[in-house]
Amino acid sequence: MSGMVLSTRLPLVASCLLITACGGGENSQPLADGSNPTALAEGGTWSTPLVDGTNGSSDSLGSANDGGDTGLRPGVYLTDIASNTGGSDEAVTWISGSGRFVTAINAVNSVFGNVEANSEGAQFSGSAANLFYTNQWNRAEGSLSGIVEDSQSLSYSVSGDYNASAALIRLVDLSNEPISLGILSDSYLSFDQTTSFTIGSQGGLTGSDSTGCVFDGQISIQSSNINVFDVTFDATNCGATPTSSPSERNGRYNGLGSYDSINLRISFMSANSTVILPFQGD
């Protein structure tokens, strides 16, 4: 894997990861069980384009992350996950300059956490929580440790409630596509037409869904040269879905996403402490 630079469109397995509103109708298993859940096909493909760009920078991940060719770099990563039981998954990981990361396996199985590089930038550590749905929502937590293999690839392992390892390749052109609140400012409707979000010119986020959920929060961008945004919002007045109760769905959500400048759509994966809320819309 060392030295690989992937600069084509996202692969099919990644394009089908997202997306309908919170509480998809599909069962999943924790990474510790080595499952390989089928990605949700609803909502069509995720066709975020890859374009030529320049290396971005963000100081939040540590002093080594100077936008050059070394250190833990924010961006979008193609991810291969292997569990301690021999199973595997393919996923997409967003890493933000804020230190957050999200690994999106599918709409009912994803990993959320935080990472921080050491002073040399060659290693990083953090925490990870795997949220997944079987016949109920589950949460498994672990500690993360990783290595920066080279300028575009990382590897990490998680130990705790679940044990897994991952290899990541940075999608260079996608990661380095410019982004701004002005670019994101628009209204977006999910492909299944059940959920909508509006992003204001100052990053304010509002929205609703067909069950009565009201969303209110904020989009933030750590670097205009890195196509990753942080999303935080409160969900209130949510109705039940086949997999989630109102009390599970209400609450504070955090997540990460990116922008498709060709199809003018956003994709993000978010979660509160219990359930996942993925979104893709245009």
Side-chain angles (χ1 to χ4, degrees), residues 33-160:
D33 287 351
S35 66
N36 187 11
T38 302
L40 292 183
E42 296 178 51
T45 59
W46 180 20
S47 56
T48 306
L50 299 173
V51 297
D52 291 334
T54 57
N55 292 337
S57 66
S58 174
D59 296 329
S60 302
L61 287 177
S63 58
N65 182 26
D66 59 0
D69 292 331
T70 61
L72 179 59
R73 306 178 70 193
V76 188
Y77 289 77
L78 182 65
T79 306
D80 289 318
I81 304 172
S83 77
N84 63 333
T85 61
S88 63
D89 289 294
E90 287 192 300
V92 170
T93 296
W94 290 281
I95 300 178
S96 168
S98 65
R100 291 180 182 171
F101 81 92
V102 175
T103 296
I105 301 169
N106 62 32
V108 290
N109 188 3
S110 292
V111 179
F112 300 81
N114 293 276
V115 290
E116 182 177 359
N118 66 3
S119 58
E120 291 79 24
Q123 297 179 328
F124 57 95
S125 60
S127 60
N130 180 203
L131 296 180
F132 59 97
Y133 183 82
T134 52
N135 60 344
Q136 64 181 13
W137 284 99
N138 305 271
R139 181 184 179 95
E141 298 188 4
S143 298
L144 180 150
S145 60
I147 297 172
V148 178
E149 305 285 356
D150 58 37
S151 63
Q152 307 299 342
S153 58
L154 315 169
S155 62
Y156 71 76
S157 60
V158 177
S159 59

Side-chain angles (χ1 to χ4, degrees), residues 20-22 188-197 207-210 215 249 277-281:
T20 55
C22 175
Y188 303 90
L189 179 65
S190 63
F191 294 143
D192 64 359
Q193 300 185 339
T194 65
T195 306
S196 63
F197 283 97
S208 62
D209 76 3
S210 60
F215 307 119
R249 301 187 67 212
L277 195 161
F279 181 82
Q280 185 174 44

